[in-house]
Amino acid sequence: MRFLRRASLVNASAFLFLAIATQAVAQFRPKVTVQVIPGIPSGPASIHISDRIAIQLLTPSGPLDPAQRARIVAARLQAMVDSGADRQALKFKVIGAGRADITWNQSPIIVVNKREANAHSQSPTELAAAWVANIRWLLATPPLTVTPANLVVPFGETRQVTIGGVSPAPFTVFDQRPEVCSTTVGPDGRTLIVKGLTPGSAAVAVTRGDMTISINVAVRKYAGRLKIPRTVMVTGSPAPSEMCLRSARCRVVASADLEPGARVTALAPTTKLPDLPQGYQGDLTFPVRIEGEGYIPVAGSATVRIVNVALPKAEVGKLFYSNSPEQVKKFGSLFAGRLEPGESTRLLYHHQNMIGKPFVFNIMLINTGSTAARVQVVKAAPDPLIDTVAVGYRAGVQFLPNYINDVGEIIELPPMSRVAICSRVVDRMYTASGIMQFRALEGPPLFLRISADLVEDGIVTEGCALPASPMDGVVVLSPWVFPSPTKSIDAEYIVGKAWAFIRVGKHGISDVSKEQQLYGNYGVVYDIKLAIANPNPEQRSVDVLFESAAGLASGVFLIDGKYVKVTHIAPPREVPLARYILGPNESRTVLIKTVPLAGSAYPATILVRS
């Protein structure tokens, strides 16, 4: 309680201090004074406003010497100042050739006669005009100014305040909270150097004569620091510009050092990059802003180099199938697998949020080893949707061309680190679905972990290496791991003979133990070699169709180099995929690639007939 009481007193004192300083500025009235030269009777006298000469009297007028005249004029000016009279009402009027009268709101201030004007080597009109202009300027300019009056000082740095005003008198400084900032007067005597010692707020009082002005000082940390992003390594024939842009932006965001609660935004790049062929490189420059409540914003730019490297072809050795549970009803781990060095692994995930409130869906790569690792990631991770079929379809539409063209990014994991490959908020009843491939290029074995986490824990910046703990390597590996997730099928159709039925997803692959079977073969790539022939003497057409046999389904196909998409069909509907016109006695081979999509009902059938 003693600490709380003291804090209240300090805050109350600060408030009172600020109130007094503010009131002093608002109610300030310039002070009018008279100065004479000591020891010189009837010598010159000067009238000062805010310690600066406004009028200098060199001659007597009638029985009044210059000092007596100055005191009368000063009293008149002070009375008008204290009344708040408008300084624009201070005027002069020429009375004949040898006199000019200065008045304020028609009240007499001083008479400028010919004798006084001659002493200044001016005419009465010129001298009166000069005195009026001088008085107006001195009244308009306070004796003390501070610029700026509100100062933000970065923690550990200094900033300057300019001390101005018409008064030449020295000023004094009072630091209300010396633990927050320190102040020193600059060598020129007209600047105040403020150094930020501790984040917080303070008031610094600057006093000159009867006037005090408060400088509101806020010592803040920068929201973060921009670092030079590392080069982004991508793959693909070519690497699409959209992926290069996404990967480069992610690298910029991941490379920023942020204070707690701060956020970084990489805006639209100022440069453009086309699709990047293998062996080529390019640069993207992003305007970047780092900001957060209570911090000093940081603005700048970051340039990222993108290099498209060619990797030798590699067969996918196993499939991670993350679908148990399909309906997520509690927070926690959903899947855990181990990526072996030199292996390629495919991942299919499909999870619907049935918790009743949003969760953060995280896919993490974890390196608990003592050396760095490099992994190629071929990614198809659409935003979650409430339509379970549509989200699986979108994943397939993204994945198949990426898989065919080896479109991906090479991720670096330092020792004892973890990197988010996907981090998305999944609303209640929405489904997260995607297909990815991971190829461990260098380094120790890695862990892949999928989890439904609390929204309060926040979204993890994708591609950003974070420290891993030894406990990150303590995982229970999921059993849903299937070797050789590729099916090669040879099929034949001869015009006039029985139709050809190619079953996709009918015979599920088994895990290593042969105890689990992947019904529907979701995530398994089908390579289909279809031979079609027309033995007839006349031209015939051959149709290739997709038929949903088990329920509502979608599909994505690469047929002789052309992508064909089918969405939301229910049995017994058939959708045409391709048509071939065969001449007499003509035959040909049709190459088809497809993959059963999560959320759809497989097995399904590719039907060939004429």
Side-chain angles (χ1 to χ4, degrees), residues 86-148:
D86 182 5
R87 66 179 182 275
Q88 298 301 324
L90 180 71
K91 300 178 180 180
F92 72 93
K93 183 178 181 180
V94 177
I95 309 296
R99 173 180 164 184
D101 291 356
I102 297 177
T103 61
W104 197 346
N105 279 347
Q106 299 182 349
S107 297
I109 299 297
I110 188 171
V111 173
V112 182
N113 56 35
K114 191 171 183 178
R115 182 180 180 185
E116 183 70 34
N118 288 338
H120 291 268
S121 301
Q122 292 179 294
S123 69
T125 300
E126 292 172 337
L127 185 57
W131 282 356
V132 167
N134 203 25
I135 293 170
R136 285 180 177 177
W137 178 75
L138 290 173
L139 293 176
T141 308
L144 175 64
T145 61
V146 296
T147 306

Side-chain angles (χ1 to χ4, degrees), residues 342-535:
E343 282 192 357
S344 291
T345 302
R346 187 176 303 137
L347 165 69
L348 181 140
Y349 62 88
H350 191 80
H351 295 281
Q352 185 180 29
N353 181 2
M354 300 298 287
I355 293 178
K357 58 182 177 180
F359 64 71
V360 176
F361 180 79
N362 283 320
I363 300 178
M364 287 281 182
L365 282 180
I366 303 168
N367 179 12
T368 58
S370 58
T371 58
R374 296 171 69 241
V375 183
Q376 182 206 25
V377 180
V378 176
K379 185 176 178 180
D383 290 333
L385 295 175
I386 200 165
D387 186 331
T388 59
V389 177
V391 70
Y393 167 74
R394 291 189 182 183
V397 168
Q398 292 181 18
F399 171 74
L400 193 59
N402 288 350
Y403 167 77
I404 299 296
N405 297 305
D406 199 31
V407 172
E409 180 183 355
I410 297 176
I411 303 294
E412 298 179 5
L413 287 90
M416 291 301 297
S417 69
R418 55 192 176 95
V419 172
I421 303 302
C422 179
S423 187
R424 311 279 172 83
V425 172
V426 181
D427 288 327
R428 57 186 299 270
M429 302 294 292
Y430 275 62
T431 297
S433 187
I435 311 174
M436 300 184 184
Q437 280 190 187
F438 303 91
R439 183 177 177 184
L441 301 173
E442 295 178 6
L446 304 174
F447 292 102
L448 182 141
R449 187 174 64 201
I450 302 177
S451 56
D453 298 322
L454 295 170
V455 172
E456 290 79 1
D457 294 339
I459 294 177
V460 184
T461 301
E462 295 180 6
C464 180
L466 302 173
S469 70
M471 293 303 296
D472 285 322
V474 181
V475 296
V476 177
L477 298 179
S478 302
W480 298 93
V481 180
F482 299 89
S484 303
T486 302
K487 281 270 192 179
S488 296
I489 296 177
D490 289 327
E492 182 184 54
Y493 172 69
I494 299 175
V495 174
K497 302 292 184 180
W499 296 356
F501 297 90
I502 305 170
R503 310 295 185 183
V504 178
K506 182 166 180 65
H507 303 289
I509 61 175
S510 299
D511 66 358
V512 176
S513 67
K514 306 298 182 181
E515 295 179 357
Q516 296 191 107
Q517 194 172 13
L518 182 58
Y519 295 104
N521 279 344
Y522 297 99
V524 174
V525 172
Y526 277 74
D527 285 323
I528 302 170
K529 186 177 181 181
L530 171 63
I532 56 176
N534 176 23

Side-chain angles (χ1 to χ4, degrees), residues 33-48:
T33 59
V34 175
Q35 289 189 15
V36 297
I37 302 176
I40 303 180
S42 301
S46 56
I47 301 167
H48 291 240

Side-chain angles (χ1 to χ4, degrees), residues 257-286:
D257 280 339
L258 302 180
E259 291 293 334
R263 60 191 178 277
V264 57
T265 304
L267 305 176
T270 57
T271 54
K272 292 185 177 180
L273 190 68
D275 292 349
L276 200 61
Q278 285 185 345
Y280 283 73
Q281 64 184 28
D283 294 337
L284 285 173
T285 299
F286 296 85

Side-chain angles (χ1 to χ4, degrees), residues 571-589:
R573 184 182 172 196
E574 300 170 350
V575 176
L577 300 179
R579 168 170 284 188
Y580 295 92
I581 305 299
L582 298 182
N585 300 309
E586 181 183 357
S587 63
R588 64 175 298 170
T589 299

